[in-house]
Amino acid sequence: MNACGREASRYGRIRITYAEERDRGVFTVQGDIDNRDRRRDQFTCRFDSSGRIVDFRLG
């Protein structure tokens, strides 16, 4: 979850709203980003058990 938080914090202050292990060893994290760009004020991130981000999306 830390990897996703670090990646999202590049765009502003973050607040994680959801975190769950969806697939075996793959976790999904969603959250809000405090910034002025409504197109980039939320994020979804997936990472594996080693902490490597496998998908990161803004919007």
Side-chain angles (χ1 to χ4, degrees):
M1 190 157 50
N2 289 336
C4 290
R6 279 191 304 274
E7 182 67 21
S9 69
R10 295 178 23 189
Y11 302 96
R13 186 182 307 195
I14 66 161
R15 180 174 58 95
I16 293 176
T17 58
Y18 174 85
E20 179 181 52
E21 183 176 11
R22 284 266 176 105
D23 300 318
R24 178 174 279 171
V26 178
F27 301 84
T28 298
V29 177
Q30 295 175 339
D32 298 324
I33 302 173
D34 184 16
N35 63 31
R36 296 178 188 261
D37 186 349
R38 291 206 183 271
R39 294 169 298 167
R40 294 180 168 212
D41 65 353
Q42 295 179 334
F43 71 94
T44 301
C45 179
R46 295 179 69 217
F47 67 97
D48 63 19
S49 57
S50 71
R52 183 178 61 89
I53 294 175
V54 294
D55 186 34
F56 184 87
R57 297 171 192 242
L58 294 173

